[in-house]
């Protein structure tokens, strides 16, 4: 690389080192120390990791995280794919409908969560009133843990559906029309066109969408914190909320740092199979 090119990318590299690399190294060092307000960090080796892995609240948060991200990611994928195929096939007022689908991205995440919190209010919320009008039970998201997690999943799907939809819609529009014309000439039905033309072509885009949404959903915080606060009795905590509680409620910075690095390891393990498949289907084919 020429010196001029190195000089052009140097500011970005310096920014990444200062904002990402050095703080990550500090957190890694902190995870091996006992640290709190007013106390100098004391080296304790792997004690923080052993304590976090032995904490039942950590494993409950891990289980909640696994449940939530699997529901959210695959529900978003199904809805995003269905809407993308519907719009690509041509529907009346498509521009207006696309604007409606993308609307959640125009709203502040905190404002959206607060709006949903009022809508789901068991006493005066619009959703609760509608369910009551049809004789259905009220969603007690602040009392029953399963209701709280269901509310978090519904909110997260609505809030992040535009991301998955945009990736799949762009990929669908990029498929050449000649492929469908050839399939129709060969007598392929609509299902066969989807099975043998659309789906194989969309697989790389689907993998990318799933990978990014897994990463984003794994560090989900605001939806859970503002809807349930992790309650009742920490039963709806996810890993990001568990980390926040350890750091800023119990002032256990070493435990919080260890939790953060455990989340990094879990994210890498989770992403590795998807990255491998993406590599095999895209980069390896281009070589």
């Amino acid at each position: 690389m020429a010196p001029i090119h190195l000089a052009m990318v140097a500011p970005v590299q310096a920014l990444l080192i200062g904002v990402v690399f050095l703080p990550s190294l500090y957190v890694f060092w902190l995870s091996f120390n006992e640290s709190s307000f007013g106390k100098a960090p004391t080296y304790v080796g792997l004690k923080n990791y052993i304590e976090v892995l032995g904490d039942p609240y950590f494993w409950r948060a891990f289980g909640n995280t696994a449940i939530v991200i699997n529901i959210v990611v695959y529900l978003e994928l199904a809805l995003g794919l269905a809407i993308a195929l519907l719009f690509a096939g041509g529907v009346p007022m498509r521009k207006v409908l696309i604007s409606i689908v993308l609307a959640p991205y125009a709203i502040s995440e905190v404002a959206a969560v607060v709006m949903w919190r009022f809508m789901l209010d068991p006493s005066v919320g619009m959703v609760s009133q509608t369910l009551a009008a049809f004789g259905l039970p009220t969603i007690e998201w602040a009392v029953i843990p399963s209701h709280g997690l269901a509310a978090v999943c519904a909110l997260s799907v609505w809030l992040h559906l535009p991301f998955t939809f945009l990736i799949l819609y762009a990929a669908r529009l990029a498929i050449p029309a000649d492929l469908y014309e050839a399939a129709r000439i060969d007598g392929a039905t609509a299902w066969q066109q989807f099975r043998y033309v659309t789906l194989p072509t969309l697989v790389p885009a689907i993998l990318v969408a799933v990978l990014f949404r897994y990463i984003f959903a794994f560090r989900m915080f605001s939806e859970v914190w503002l809807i349930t606060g992790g309650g009742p009795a920490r039963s709806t905590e996810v890993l990001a909320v568990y980390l926040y509680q350890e750091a800023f409620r119990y002032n256990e910075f070493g435990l919080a740092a260890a939790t953060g690095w455990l989340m990094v390891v879990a994210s890498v393990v989770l992403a590795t199979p998807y990255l491998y498949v993406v590599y095999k289907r895209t980069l390896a084919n281009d070589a």
Side-chain angles (χ1 to χ4, degrees):
M1 183 177 289
I4 184 62
H5 296 153
L6 290 174
M8 292 177 68
V9 299
V12 176
Q13 300 298 326
L15 183 65
L16 288 175
I17 291 173
V19 175
V20 177
F21 185 68
L22 292 180
S24 300
L25 279 183
Y26 175 74
V27 172
F28 185 67
W29 170 80
L30 193 62
S31 68
F32 295 101
N33 289 269
E34 186 175 303
S35 175
S36 185
F37 281 122
K39 292 174 58 178
T42 305
Y43 181 75
V44 293
L46 295 174
K47 177 175 176 293
N48 288 328
Y49 288 96
I50 295 172
E51 191 169 336
V52 169
L53 292 174
D55 186 357
Y57 287 115
F58 171 81
W59 289 109
R60 180 185 290 176
F62 185 86
N64 289 340
T65 303
I67 292 171
V68 169
I69 64 175
N70 277 292
I71 293 175
V72 166
V73 170
Y74 290 110
L75 189 55
E76 272 185 36
L77 178 64
L79 290 175
L81 180 61
I83 297 172
L85 295 180
L86 179 66
F87 287 179
V91 292
M93 302 176 66
R94 181 170 57 179
K95 293 181 179 178
V96 175
L97 294 175
I98 290 177
S99 300
I100 293 173
V101 174
L102 299 182
Y105 256 21
I107 303 173
S108 163
E109 189 167 315
V110 174
V113 175
V114 172
M115 179 184 73
W116 271 71
R117 186 183 174 96
F118 281 111
M119 289 172 59
L120 293 171
D121 187 280
S123 302
V124 297
M126 183 178 68
V127 174
S128 300
Q129 296 293 322
T130 304
L131 292 175
F134 286 97
L136 298 173
T138 303
I139 300 176
E140 298 285 356
W141 47 268
V143 179
I144 302 175
S146 60
H147 288 192
L149 292 177
V152 167
C153 290
L155 167 60
S156 186
V157 169
W158 174 80
L159 197 58
H160 299 289
L161 179 62
F163 177 82
T164 306
F165 163 72
L166 281 177
I167 291 178
L168 299 179
Y169 186 54
R172 169 61 186 85
L173 293 181
I175 299 177
D178 295 347
L179 294 178
Y180 292 100
E181 183 65 27
R184 280 192 290 271
I185 292 174
D186 290 340
T189 63
W191 166 250
Q192 288 171 329
Q193 292 178 37
F194 171 77
R195 173 69 179 81
Y196 297 108
V197 178
T198 306
L199 192 57
T201 314
L202 289 182
V203 166
I206 291 173
L207 289 172
V208 170
V210 170
L211 177 62
F212 275 93
R213 281 303 293 132
Y214 255 122
I215 294 173
F216 296 154
F218 198 77
R219 54 186 175 84
M220 177 189 298
F221 176 79
S222 59
E223 294 97 320
V224 179
W225 184 250
L226 293 174
I227 287 285
T228 69
R234 305 186 67 175
S235 58
T236 59
E237 277 187 359
V238 292
L239 286 176
V241 174
Y242 175 87
L243 187 154
Y244 178 86
Q245 297 267 43
E246 293 295 331
F248 301 108
R249 183 172 183 180
Y250 305 118
N251 300 325
E252 295 285 357
F253 301 133
L255 293 177
T259 305
W261 270 100
L262 287 172
M263 290 177 65
V264 171
V265 173
S267 298
V268 171
V269 171
L270 191 67
T272 298
Y274 291 98
L275 289 174
Y276 178 75
V277 176
V278 169
Y279 170 78
K280 293 287 287 184
R281 294 188 62 92
T282 56
L283 299 182
N285 291 336
D286 295 338

